[in-house]
Amino acid sequence: MINVFDEKKFLKKIRLNMKNLFFFTFLSIFLLTTSSQAERIALTDIRIGEKITKYFTTSQIDKYYLKETERSKSGELVFGKNKKYSIIGFTKPSVFFTDKYMVVQIVYENGTDKVVSLAGVDAVKSEPECLSKRDREVSNFRKKNIIDRSYREEKDFQTFADGMTDDYVSYDGPKKFFKFSCYVYTDGFKTYRFDIYENEYNNYIYKKFN
C-alpha cells in the first residue's frame, strides 16, 4: 500500500465537531447557496489533471481555500499558496455536489492549477453499512471502466497507534491511485472515505509525512 496524506487528524477534527455545522475547527468557511450558483455535479466529474478553474471561479477558490492544514512531522506547513500544492474544502458539499458527503477536499497544484487529488468523507452508522457502501462504489467504478485491469488491487485492514482502524480497498494504476476506506474510531465513530490521487502528488505527500 502507498501511504498518503495523514487522514487520521483530518477525520478526527470531523469527529470532534459532529454537533456543529462546520467540521474543521481551524477553518473559516462560510457556505452560501445562491440562485447564481452553477449546476451541481458529481465529485468524480472533476477530472484529475484538469484545471481547478474549469470547475470553480477564482472567487469560489478564494472563499473555500484552506489556509491552515496538516503539517509534516517536522512541523512544516505542507500546503499553501507558496507551496507546491493548495487545498479547497467544503463542509456543506451539497451546495456544489450531488454526492452524499459531509466533507469534500480538493487539492490542486499551484502554478498550473492542475487538480491532483479528490476526497469525500461521510459518516456511517455501522461497519456493515460502510463496507456495503465501499463495495458498491468499487463496483460502480469497475462497471464504468474507471478502474480497469491496469490497476493493481490491494485489500487490507490496519490499526493505527491511537486505535483507529482502516478497512480499505485500493487500486494503484499507471497515473492514479484510488482508495475506498472504512474508518472506525475507538469511541465508535465511523466514516466512509473515498480518495483519488495523482501518483506524482501521492509520492510527494508520502515523502512529506513519512
Side-chain angles (χ1 to χ4, degrees):
M1 174 188 174
I2 298 177
N3 292 317
V4 290
F5 191 108
D6 186 350
E7 298 164 347
K8 292 182 290 180
K9 293 180 181 179
F10 175 83
L11 293 168
K12 186 176 181 181
K13 291 181 182 296
I14 300 170
R15 177 172 59 86
L16 293 175
N17 294 280
M18 278 297 291
K19 294 182 180 180
N20 301 320
L21 291 176
F22 302 101
F23 299 97
F24 293 157
T25 57
F26 57 85
L27 303 180
S28 297
I29 303 175
F30 301 94
L31 305 178
L32 301 175
T33 305
T34 65
S35 58
S36 61
Q37 201 92 66
E39 184 177 349
R40 296 190 306 157
I41 61 173
L43 179 59
T44 52
D45 286 339
I46 297 177
R47 301 298 182 185
I48 298 294
E50 292 190 343
K51 290 182 178 293
I52 189 75
T53 49
K54 178 178 178 179
Y55 305 98
F56 303 98
T57 65
T58 300
S59 61
Q60 287 171 335
I61 293 169
D62 288 342
K63 186 175 184 178
Y64 304 117
Y65 190 86
L66 307 190
K67 296 179 181 178
E68 288 294 329
T69 56
E70 294 290 348
R71 292 179 179 270
S72 67
K73 290 182 179 180
S74 65
E76 175 194 2
L77 190 63
V78 177
F79 301 93
K81 292 184 177 180
N82 63 337
K83 303 293 184 179
K84 186 174 177 63
Y85 298 107
S86 286
I87 306 177
I88 57 174
F90 306 88
T91 53
K92 281 188 178 179
S94 60
V95 173
F96 290 99
F97 304 103
T98 56
D99 314 80
K100 185 182 179 297
Y101 292 120
M102 64 182 185
V103 172
V104 162
Q105 172 184 287
I106 302 170
V107 181
Y108 64 94
E109 185 179 53
N110 293 315
T112 65
D113 288 337
K114 179 178 67 173
V115 175
V116 297
S117 175
L118 306 171
V121 181
D122 194 25
V124 291
K125 294 179 180 179
S126 67
E127 291 179 64
E129 177 188 345
C130 187
L131 293 173
S132 178
K133 181 180 179 69
R134 184 199 70 183
D135 293 344
R136 285 197 309 272
E137 290 291 291
V138 170
S139 179
N140 288 336
F141 272 74
R142 284 193 168 282
K143 286 178 181 178
K144 294 177 182 177
N145 208 37
I146 297 173
I147 297 175
D148 57 29
R149 293 182 179 180
S150 67
Y151 285 83
R152 179 177 60 85
E153 180 185 79
E154 178 178 87
K155 291 184 178 182
D156 204 354
F157 181 92
Q158 59 183 336
T159 302
F160 295 97
D162 61 2
M164 187 188 87
T165 62
D166 177 13
D167 194 338
Y168 70 89
V169 182
S170 66
Y171 295 88
D172 191 3
K175 296 182 179 180
K176 290 181 287 187
F177 177 81
F178 293 78
K179 188 165 182 275
F180 307 81
S181 298
C182 287
Y183 291 96
V184 179
Y185 288 86
T186 53
D187 64 359
F189 182 73
K190 305 170 184 68
T191 61
Y192 166 76
R193 176 162 177 149
F194 162 69
D195 294 271
I196 308 176
Y197 301 92
E198 177 192 67
N199 284 347
E200 181 182 345
Y201 165 74
N202 192 12
N203 294 334
Y204 175 88
I205 291 301
Y206 174 79
K207 291 177 182 178
K208 289 293 184 180
F209 286 94
N210 291 277

